[in-house]
Short mmCIF file of all heavy atoms in Angstrom, two decimals:
data_model
loop_
_atom_site.label_atom_id
_atom_site.label_comp_id
_atom_site.label_asym_id
_atom_site.label_seq_id
_atom_site.Cartn_x
_atom_site.Cartn_y
_atom_site.Cartn_z
N VAL K 41 -6.40 -5.88 -6.24
CA VAL K 41 -5.20 -5.31 -6.84
C VAL K 41 -4.91 -3.95 -6.21
O VAL K 41 -5.79 -3.11 -6.08
CB VAL K 41 -5.37 -5.14 -8.37
CG1 VAL K 41 -4.10 -4.56 -8.98
CG2 VAL K 41 -5.72 -6.48 -9.01
N VAL K 42 -3.65 -3.75 -5.81
CA VAL K 42 -3.21 -2.48 -5.24
C VAL K 42 -2.70 -1.60 -6.38
O VAL K 42 -1.81 -1.99 -7.12
CB VAL K 42 -2.09 -2.68 -4.21
CG1 VAL K 42 -1.74 -1.36 -3.54
CG2 VAL K 42 -2.52 -3.70 -3.16
N LYS K 43 -3.27 -0.41 -6.52
CA LYS K 43 -2.90 0.50 -7.60
C LYS K 43 -2.24 1.77 -7.02
O LYS K 43 -2.77 2.36 -6.07
CB LYS K 43 -4.13 0.91 -8.41
CG LYS K 43 -4.79 -0.25 -9.16
CD LYS K 43 -4.01 -0.59 -10.41
CE LYS K 43 -4.77 -1.58 -11.27
NZ LYS K 43 -4.04 -1.90 -12.50
N PRO K 44 -1.12 2.21 -7.58
CA PRO K 44 -0.47 3.43 -7.06
C PRO K 44 -1.33 4.67 -7.22
O PRO K 44 -1.31 5.55 -6.36
CB PRO K 44 0.82 3.52 -7.88
CG PRO K 44 0.59 2.66 -9.08
CD PRO K 44 -0.35 1.58 -8.65
N GLU K 45 -2.11 4.74 -8.30
CA GLU K 45 -2.93 5.93 -8.52
C GLU K 45 -4.09 6.03 -7.53
O GLU K 45 -4.72 7.09 -7.41
CB GLU K 45 -3.47 5.98 -9.96
CG GLU K 45 -4.40 4.85 -10.32
CD GLU K 45 -3.69 3.64 -10.91
OE1 GLU K 45 -2.47 3.50 -10.66
OE2 GLU K 45 -4.34 2.86 -11.61
N ALA K 46 -4.38 4.93 -6.82
CA ALA K 46 -5.45 4.94 -5.82
C ALA K 46 -4.88 5.02 -4.40
O ALA K 46 -5.60 4.83 -3.43
CB ALA K 46 -6.31 3.68 -5.96
N THR K 47 -3.59 5.33 -4.29
CA THR K 47 -2.90 5.35 -3.00
C THR K 47 -2.42 6.76 -2.66
O THR K 47 -1.86 7.45 -3.50
CB THR K 47 -1.70 4.40 -3.02
OG1 THR K 47 -2.14 3.09 -3.39
CG2 THR K 47 -1.02 4.33 -1.66
N SER K 48 -2.66 7.17 -1.43
CA SER K 48 -2.14 8.46 -0.95
C SER K 48 -1.34 8.23 0.32
O SER K 48 -1.66 7.37 1.13
CB SER K 48 -3.28 9.44 -0.68
OG SER K 48 -4.11 8.98 0.37
N ILE K 49 -0.27 9.01 0.48
CA ILE K 49 0.60 8.90 1.65
C ILE K 49 0.68 10.26 2.33
O ILE K 49 1.28 11.20 1.80
CB ILE K 49 2.00 8.41 1.25
CG1 ILE K 49 1.91 7.05 0.58
CG2 ILE K 49 2.92 8.35 2.47
CD1 ILE K 49 3.22 6.51 0.09
N GLY K 50 0.06 10.36 3.49
CA GLY K 50 0.06 11.60 4.24
C GLY K 50 0.94 11.50 5.47
O GLY K 50 1.20 10.41 5.99
N TRP K 51 1.44 12.63 5.93
CA TRP K 51 2.27 12.64 7.14
C TRP K 51 2.01 13.94 7.91
O TRP K 51 1.57 14.94 7.36
CB TRP K 51 3.76 12.53 6.80
CG TRP K 51 4.25 13.53 5.79
CD1 TRP K 51 4.36 13.35 4.44
CD2 TRP K 51 4.69 14.87 6.04
NE1 TRP K 51 4.83 14.49 3.84
CE2 TRP K 51 5.04 15.44 4.80
CE3 TRP K 51 4.80 15.65 7.19
CZ2 TRP K 51 5.51 16.75 4.67
CZ3 TRP K 51 5.27 16.96 7.08
CH2 TRP K 51 5.62 17.49 5.83
N THR K 52 2.25 13.87 9.21
CA THR K 52 2.14 15.05 10.07
C THR K 52 3.37 15.12 10.96
O THR K 52 3.63 14.19 11.75
CB THR K 52 0.87 15.01 10.94
OG1 THR K 52 -0.28 14.89 10.09
CG2 THR K 52 0.75 16.27 11.77
N ALA K 53 4.13 16.20 10.82
CA ALA K 53 5.27 16.47 11.71
C ALA K 53 4.81 17.50 12.74
O ALA K 53 3.73 18.08 12.62
CB ALA K 53 6.45 16.98 10.90
N TYR K 54 5.63 17.74 13.75
CA TYR K 54 5.19 18.61 14.85
C TYR K 54 6.27 19.62 15.22
O TYR K 54 7.46 19.32 15.21
CB TYR K 54 4.83 17.76 16.08
CG TYR K 54 3.75 16.74 15.78
CD1 TYR K 54 4.09 15.44 15.42
CD2 TYR K 54 2.41 17.10 15.81
CE1 TYR K 54 3.11 14.51 15.13
CE2 TYR K 54 1.42 16.17 15.51
CZ TYR K 54 1.77 14.89 15.18
OH TYR K 54 0.80 13.96 14.86
N LYS K 55 5.81 20.84 15.57
CA LYS K 55 6.72 21.91 15.96
C LYS K 55 6.20 22.61 17.21
O LYS K 55 5.03 22.45 17.58
CB LYS K 55 6.86 22.92 14.82
CG LYS K 55 5.56 23.67 14.50
CD LYS K 55 5.76 24.68 13.38
CE LYS K 55 4.49 25.49 13.13
NZ LYS K 55 4.68 26.51 12.08
N THR K 56 7.04 23.42 17.86
CA THR K 56 6.80 24.16 19.10
C THR K 56 6.56 23.20 20.26
O THR K 56 6.23 22.02 20.07
CB THR K 56 5.60 25.15 18.99
OG1 THR K 56 4.36 24.44 19.11
CG2 THR K 56 5.64 25.94 17.71
N THR K 57 6.71 23.71 21.47
CA THR K 57 6.49 22.88 22.65
C THR K 57 5.02 22.50 22.82
O THR K 57 4.70 21.56 23.55
CB THR K 57 6.98 23.62 23.92
OG1 THR K 57 6.37 24.92 23.97
CG2 THR K 57 8.49 23.77 23.91
N ASP K 58 4.13 23.22 22.13
CA ASP K 58 2.70 22.87 22.14
C ASP K 58 2.39 21.74 21.17
O ASP K 58 1.25 21.30 21.07
CB ASP K 58 1.84 24.09 21.80
CG ASP K 58 1.87 25.13 22.90
OD1 ASP K 58 2.00 24.74 24.08
OD2 ASP K 58 1.76 26.34 22.59
N LYS K 59 3.38 21.30 20.43
CA LYS K 59 3.26 20.21 19.46
C LYS K 59 2.17 20.50 18.43
O LYS K 59 1.19 19.76 18.27
CB LYS K 59 2.99 18.87 20.16
CG LYS K 59 3.45 17.67 19.33
CD LYS K 59 3.40 16.37 20.13
CE LYS K 59 4.04 15.24 19.33
NZ LYS K 59 4.06 13.96 20.06
N VAL K 60 2.39 21.56 17.69
CA VAL K 60 1.48 21.95 16.61
C VAL K 60 1.81 21.12 15.36
O VAL K 60 2.96 21.02 14.95
CB VAL K 60 1.63 23.45 16.30
CG1 VAL K 60 0.76 23.84 15.10
CG2 VAL K 60 1.27 24.28 17.53
N GLY K 61 0.79 20.52 14.78
CA GLY K 61 1.00 19.66 13.63
C GLY K 61 1.22 20.44 12.34
O GLY K 61 0.60 21.47 12.10
N VAL K 62 2.11 19.93 11.52
CA VAL K 62 2.35 20.46 10.17
C VAL K 62 2.15 19.29 9.22
O VAL K 62 2.93 18.33 9.21
CB VAL K 62 3.77 21.03 10.02
CG1 VAL K 62 3.99 21.51 8.59
CG2 VAL K 62 4.02 22.15 11.01
N ALA K 63 1.09 19.36 8.42
CA ALA K 63 0.71 18.23 7.57
C ALA K 63 1.28 18.35 6.17
O ALA K 63 1.50 19.46 5.65
CB ALA K 63 -0.80 18.10 7.51
N GLY K 64 1.53 17.22 5.57
CA GLY K 64 1.99 17.18 4.19
C GLY K 64 1.71 15.82 3.59
O GLY K 64 1.08 14.96 4.22
N GLU K 65 2.17 15.61 2.38
CA GLU K 65 1.96 14.33 1.70
C GLU K 65 3.05 14.10 0.67
O GLU K 65 3.80 15.02 0.32
CB GLU K 65 0.60 14.30 1.02
CG GLU K 65 0.45 15.34 -0.09
CD GLU K 65 -0.90 15.27 -0.78
OE1 GLU K 65 -1.38 14.15 -1.04
OE2 GLU K 65 -1.47 16.34 -1.06
N PHE K 66 3.13 12.87 0.22
CA PHE K 66 3.93 12.52 -0.95
C PHE K 66 2.93 12.22 -2.05
O PHE K 66 2.09 11.33 -1.91
CB PHE K 66 4.84 11.33 -0.66
CG PHE K 66 5.95 11.63 0.31
CD1 PHE K 66 5.86 11.21 1.63
CD2 PHE K 66 7.07 12.34 -0.10
CE1 PHE K 66 6.88 11.49 2.53
CE2 PHE K 66 8.09 12.62 0.80
CZ PHE K 66 7.99 12.20 2.11
#
Side-chain angles (χ1 to χ4, degrees):
V41 181
V42 185
K43 295 283 189 179
E45 63 269 23
T47 305
S48 64
I49 300 177
W51 52 266
T52 303
Y54 302 95
K55 65 179 184 178
T56 78
T57 53
D58 291 328
K59 205 170 187 179
V60 176
V62 178
E65 63 179 318
F66 291 102

